[in-house]
Amino acid sequence: MLSLTEENYLKAIYHLSDGGSKAVLTNELAEAMNTKAASATDMIKKLSAKEFISYEKYYGVNVTHKGKVEALMVIRKHRLWETFLVDKLGFNWDEVHEVAEQLEHINSSRLIEKLDEFLGYPKVDPHGDPIPDNKGKIKAQPQLPLDQLKKGYLGKIAAVKDSDSNLLKYLDKIGAKPGTKIKILGKEDYDDSMEVLIDDHRVFISKEVSQNILVSE
């Protein structure tokens, strides 16, 4: 079994490595965990000894197959709890991340399976992120940040990249939630800001906002 801190580090390594596709430097991990490099190094040694990660000097760390499965199960719990909080308890989507960060460490597989069943086996959480199944498998749809697309693009919002509460409140205000249709009406060369149509409402958004909106056709 992993401690709460070990689970948090493992989840961070999984995310920073893009699901295991690249190595993560110690300083990068320390910055993500808001701690010193020495503390990150100590945790790397612990997780490596338990074979959840692999470490190579000057190259960095990455999740092993065992670590990837474990990280995905923590992510599964987090996203199911977020869904429960929004769908069943009436929380706003900008309120649930911190609460789910605590609930994801409850170590009861039966509880999580019952939760999944109670929710009707949802495929994505309120932010549009895919929920891993009980085998640790995840089905991710192709998505692109809105800022990479050109004038005339028409599709729908699939997910939100950043869980920052201020960003989510703003997106809520302009109606930019997963499943909503969006069209690029114009793009400014000066600062890459955009004029978009969100469910028939014209809105101007900054590059910082557009790069956090993930879309699919």
Side-chain angles (χ1 to χ4, degrees):
M1 289 178 61
L2 295 175
S3 68
L4 182 152
T5 304
E6 288 172 334
E7 285 188 344
N8 283 336
Y9 266 91
L10 184 60
K11 187 175 67 168
I13 294 169
Y14 174 85
H15 284 310
L16 291 170
S17 68
D18 288 338
S21 63
K22 63 179 182 180
V24 180
L25 298 176
T26 303
N27 287 338
E28 185 182 6
L29 178 60
E31 183 179 355
M33 299 302 295
N34 195 28
T35 189
K36 296 179 180 179
S39 297
T41 299
D42 288 342
M43 184 57 67
I44 286 169
K45 291 177 180 177
K46 290 181 181 179
L47 291 173
S48 181
K50 295 181 179 181
E51 300 181 344
F52 286 105
I53 64 170
S54 59
Y55 171 71
E56 187 176 339
K57 197 173 182 179
Y58 307 120
Y59 176 69
V61 300
N62 208 336
V63 288
T64 60
H65 174 72
K66 176 182 176 181
K68 184 176 181 179
V69 171
E70 187 68 23
L72 283 166
M73 295 311 292
V74 177
I75 292 168
R76 168 176 164 78
K77 289 187 285 184
H78 182 100
R79 293 177 179 173
L80 282 172
W81 282 120
E82 284 194 336
T83 304
F84 172 75
L85 291 168
V86 170
D87 291 357
K88 303 301 181 181
L89 297 188
F91 279 71
N92 292 328
W93 69 333
D94 58 273
E95 299 177 313
V96 295
H97 180 73
E98 295 300 324
V99 180
E101 283 281 302
Q102 301 172 52
L103 293 170
E104 70 184 26
H105 299 293
I106 296 175
N107 188 29
S108 171
S109 58
R110 186 167 184 267
L111 171 62
I112 299 306
E113 295 316 306
K114 287 290 185 181
L115 178 63
D116 194 15
E117 180 184 0
F118 177 67
L119 294 171
Y121 305 104
K123 301 299 181 185
V124 295
D125 71 9
H127 308 106
D129 294 317
I131 300 174
D133 66 17
N134 59 5
K135 304 292 183 183
K137 294 181 180 180
I138 191 166
K139 293 181 180 179
Q141 295 180 339
Q143 298 171 351
L144 281 174
L146 188 65
D147 70 310
Q148 294 183 14
L149 300 168
K150 298 179 180 179
K151 177 181 178 181
Y153 169 83
L154 175 62
K156 69 176 181 178
I157 299 173
V160 178
K161 191 175 181 181
D162 195 338
S163 59
D164 178 80
S165 62
N166 289 324
L167 171 66
L168 295 176
K169 287 177 183 177
Y170 174 72
L171 294 178
D172 202 18
K173 182 179 178 180
I174 64 175
K177 285 198 169 187
T180 306
K181 290 182 180 179
I182 188 166
K183 182 178 182 178
I184 300 176
L185 300 177
K187 193 172 183 178
E188 293 294 333
D189 293 333
Y190 173 66
D191 59 1
D192 286 332
S193 60
M194 288 182 175
E195 181 183 10
V196 296
L197 194 66
I198 301 175
D199 270 356
D200 299 326
H201 297 289
R202 289 174 178 261
V203 182
F204 288 92
I205 59 175
S206 67
K207 179 177 174 62
E208 184 177 0
V209 171
S210 65
Q211 66 189 6
N212 278 298
I213 295 176
L214 301 177
V215 295
S216 62
E217 295 185 358

